[in-house]
Amino acid sequence: MNLNDRLDHALQQLGHDPSPDSFAQLIAALRPRRADDTNNAINALRSLAFLLTRHEGYRHTLRQALLTLVGTRRQVHLYTDTGILSNEGLWSAFSRRLGAKLLPPAYEDSYLRDAFGRIFHRHDDFIWVQAVPDSVWLEVWQAMAWQETGSDGDARSIRLELVEAAQVLSYRISAIGLEPELVRNHPAIERFESPFLTQNVALRDYLERYKSREFDPALAHEDDAPVRVLLSQCEEIIARLRKTAAREGVSVSLTYLMVRLTQHLARLHLLLDLLAPEHAAERPLRLIGLFKQLVEADNRKTSLRDLFATNTDLLALQITEHAGRTGEHYIAGTRSEWLAMAKSAMGAGFIVGFMAMIKILLAKLKLAPLIEAFAYSMNYSLGFMLVHVLHFTIATKQPAMTAARIAADIEQHTKTSGDRLDAIAELIEAVARTQFVAILGNVLIAMPTALLIALGVQYGLGQVWVSPEKAHHLLHDLDPIRSLALPHAAIAGVCLFLSGLISGYYDNKAVYNQIPARLMQRRWPRKLFGEVRWGRFCAYVENNLGALAGNFFFGIMLGSMGTIGFLLGLPLDIRHITFSSANLAYAAVALDFQLSWQTWLTSLVGIALIGFTNLAVSFGLALFVALRSRRTRFVDGAALMGRVLRRFVRKPQHFFVAPREAAPTTSAGH
């Protein structure tokens, strides 16, 4: 059956039975085989428009079927609920959507929302519906010749349903505007007359006069401008809340409220456009815009990805912003900063040498799997936290932080007219030399520290903590070819990336929840430690909570990964460059340095590749998330790499050693 035959059959079916199922047959005739086949969809719609133009009976049938479909069902829920988050919170919305995926809700034929979902039942219908230009949909609308309809009663009933929907949206806007979390973040709502409340009063008066005019056309029409002004003031408050979030932090619940408000305001604006007589000429196009929104919203109503993407974008931005501010401390622009980073990395290498030995000793205890995971985790977590408290630096922690800093400069490059590629290239140069000296400091101290510990234990105490079997196992773990060293290094890179997100999350949490100020309210610590000491501690928490939490959870991830793999029967583990270098030293002492040159070479290459994998994975993931959170697409990657290569050719030493003169890298983009 060709397209015209299918359209004929569907239109005839609508004449006999104007039900949602009959409309679904018409949409099935128009629907392309592939959702992205826009040309076929356009051709099908134009064929329908041609058919309607040629046959008055088909025009009448489709108009009456559409009016019957809409007029005999409750419309309000379609306009006020579809595509708008409900008043339930993010996690309740998540559980409801998940439940609807597994067990769809019952169909209620008396609601236009349910009938609409039955007509556009394919989850990808919105793709072709939105891809078809508005002008093509307008051709179909005009081909239906609505001017041939004699009575205005059906149109009036639809307008009254729109009036009721506008009232519902207005009441919800007022209720959301009074939410305590919103008021706490914008206290001016309480000090001055809230536009969230006054818009409801103004809209109610406007809609009452509108309904009166529906039944008495002689009454003068009043403009909706006062309502629009108040709605604009509501939007300005949301914009200010988003700006203050950068300074005062944000939560998922606050983002949820702002998303709900934005959705309600946008839908209310659209309904007012449809009601206003002055927009009568534009009404078909606005109806088409609403139609496209509703199709997508209905198709995606159970999408968990959309729910989280919509409600965590601002939080993700704040997390990466905090990571970016931390990343500035990991960029050495001058020789003095570069030397300071080298000393900081050496201190961390010294501590890691001991941490590696403690892990070897814990392995000798043969603890139960969960107890062993806890012991490993505490060794890593407390060790990393000690590194931070002493202002030392683990080299592999840098990429997750510096990626956010680079993403900020890329965003400025894409959103400004100037060429900032040279500034970004200079920043990458500074990041490269800082990363180089940090890795060098970690490895060059971790190995000698481990060497001295092992020799001291062997010759000073007369004990051997690393058996030959364990030594061979440690060497095998460094082999990039015969072991899973590189996949395990990639897992460690993912853990490094996640720890960066955790750091940003807790930095945001400390600011948003005012944790330092709340700690200062505790009386017994103030009495025990004194006001000044306790104040310094609270200030330290404010500035370091994110870093401490990130290090703690990073240690948990590293320490428990092997146990998770054991419990699941999967080859999961981690490889970290600094610990791997220390393990090589312990293995060498245990085997009395009787290693072939091939073993030395394989182990050193393995350590280098493990480090590269750690850094590449964590940096790549962090940069991807930072750019996504800023909704930035970088298309000048090739040009940027060209600038970086030119800098490397001209002055390769600057990628390894900082210049003596000051370089403006740390202030780039500010």
Side-chain angles (χ1 to χ4, degrees), residues 258-484:
M258 289 192 290
V259 171
R260 285 193 69 217
L261 264 177
T262 303
Q263 291 174 341
H264 279 79
L265 289 166
R267 185 62 56 84
L268 184 53
H269 272 298
L270 186 51
L271 295 189
L272 289 174
D273 288 340
L274 294 174
L275 290 171
E278 59 267 25
H279 295 308
E282 303 170 5
R283 191 171 293 155
L285 281 175
R286 296 183 188 276
L287 273 173
I288 291 168
L290 176 61
F291 162 70
K292 288 184 172 183
Q293 285 183 25
L294 295 176
V295 172
E296 180 176 10
D298 188 80
N299 286 173
R300 308 288 294 174
K301 63 187 175 185
T302 60
S303 171
L304 302 178
R305 180 186 298 177
D306 287 358
L307 178 68
F308 281 103
T310 304
N311 288 281
T312 58
D313 61 342
L314 188 58
L315 180 62
L317 177 60
Q318 293 312 308
I319 288 173
T320 54
E321 280 283 345
H322 284 292
R325 285 193 285 273
T326 304
E328 293 180 4
H329 303 297
Y330 290 116
I331 301 173
T334 63
R335 181 67 62 86
S336 60
E337 292 173 352
W338 186 83
L339 291 173
M341 177 57 69
K343 294 175 184 176
S344 175
M346 290 177 184
F350 179 75
I351 292 176
V352 167
F354 286 91
M355 292 171 62
M357 175 50 73
I358 293 173
K359 184 175 183 292
I360 292 172
L361 293 176
L362 289 172
K364 290 172 66 71
L365 298 177
K366 303 295 183 183
L367 300 171
L370 293 180
I371 302 298
E372 184 178 70
F374 175 78
Y376 286 171
S377 298
M378 289 303 101
N379 175 45
Y380 283 125
S381 296
L382 297 178
F384 290 143
M385 291 172 74
L386 178 62
V387 167
H388 176 77
V389 169
L390 296 177
H391 303 290
F392 296 151
T393 301
I394 298 288
T396 50
K397 293 283 289 181
Q398 293 175 246
M401 306 299 178
T402 53
R405 177 67 179 80
I406 293 173
D409 270 29
I410 290 175
E411 181 187 33
Q412 289 196 6
H413 168 74
T414 57
K415 294 185 177 180
T416 56
S417 56
D419 183 358
R420 294 185 50 81
L421 289 180
D422 281 329
I424 300 173
E426 185 179 357
L427 178 64
I428 292 173
E429 176 189 279
V431 168
R433 63 173 169 254
T434 311
Q435 189 69 74
F436 170 75
V437 74
I439 291 176
L440 206 63
N442 282 172
V443 172
L444 292 184
I445 297 300
M447 290 184 72
T449 301
L451 196 68
L452 290 174
I453 293 173
L455 291 173
V457 168
Q458 182 172 335
Y459 295 106
L461 301 179
Q463 299 180 9
V464 178
W465 286 354
V466 180
S467 65
E469 293 77 14
K470 178 66 174 178
H472 285 296
H473 179 71
L474 293 175
L475 293 174
H476 174 74
D477 288 344
L478 300 179
D479 193 321
I481 299 173
R482 299 180 183 85
S483 74
L484 294 174

Side-chain angles (χ1 to χ4, degrees), residues 191-209:
R191 291 198 298 270
F192 307 104
E193 195 172 27
S194 171
F196 296 110
L197 297 179
T198 53
Q199 61 81 25
N200 180 254
V201 176
L203 182 70
R204 193 170 63 245
D205 293 342
Y206 169 75
L207 293 179
E208 285 298 326
R209 291 191 293 270

Side-chain angles (χ1 to χ4, degrees), residues 503-556:
S503 295
Y505 173 79
Y506 275 94
D507 277 331
N508 173 78
K509 194 176 184 69
V511 174
Y512 183 76
N513 290 335
Q514 301 175 326
I515 290 177
R518 291 162 68 180
L519 283 173
M520 281 299 296
Q521 303 303 311
R522 303 296 298 170
R523 293 182 180 177
W524 68 265
R526 295 208 308 268
K527 291 181 179 179
L528 181 63
F529 301 107
E531 290 278 350
V532 176
R533 289 192 185 90
W534 186 243
R536 284 202 299 265
F537 174 79
C538 293
Y540 184 84
V541 169
E542 180 179 16
N543 296 321
N544 295 274
L545 179 63
L548 291 172
N551 282 306
F552 179 79
F553 285 106
F554 179 50
I556 297 292

Side-chain angles (χ1 to χ4, degrees), residues 19 160 178 180 204 237 285 314 594 641 656:
S19 66
L160 292 176
L178 294 174
R204 193 170 63 245
I237 290 176
L285 281 175
L314 188 58
Q594 300 300 308
M641 289 307 300
F656 304 99

Side-chain angles (χ1 to χ4, degrees), residues 165-213:
Q167 287 178 325
V168 171
L169 292 170
S170 178
Y171 282 121
R172 288 183 185 171
I173 290 169
S174 297
I176 299 170
L178 294 174
E179 285 285 341
E181 188 163 16
L182 205 69
V183 174
R184 181 173 77 84
N185 284 275
H186 192 75
I189 295 176
E190 289 184 316
R191 291 198 298 270
F192 307 104
E193 195 172 27
S194 171
F196 296 110
L197 297 179
T198 53
Q199 61 81 25
N200 180 254
V201 176
L203 182 70
R204 193 170 63 245
D205 293 342
Y206 169 75
L207 293 179
E208 285 298 326
R209 291 191 293 270
Y210 186 93
K211 286 190 288 186
S212 299
R213 189 174 179 276

Side-chain angles (χ1 to χ4, degrees), residues 112-125:
L112 183 59
R113 178 186 60 185
D114 289 17
F116 192 82
R118 175 160 287 196
I119 294 169
F120 295 94
H121 59 87
R122 289 272 296 269
H123 72 278
D124 57 358
D125 273 335

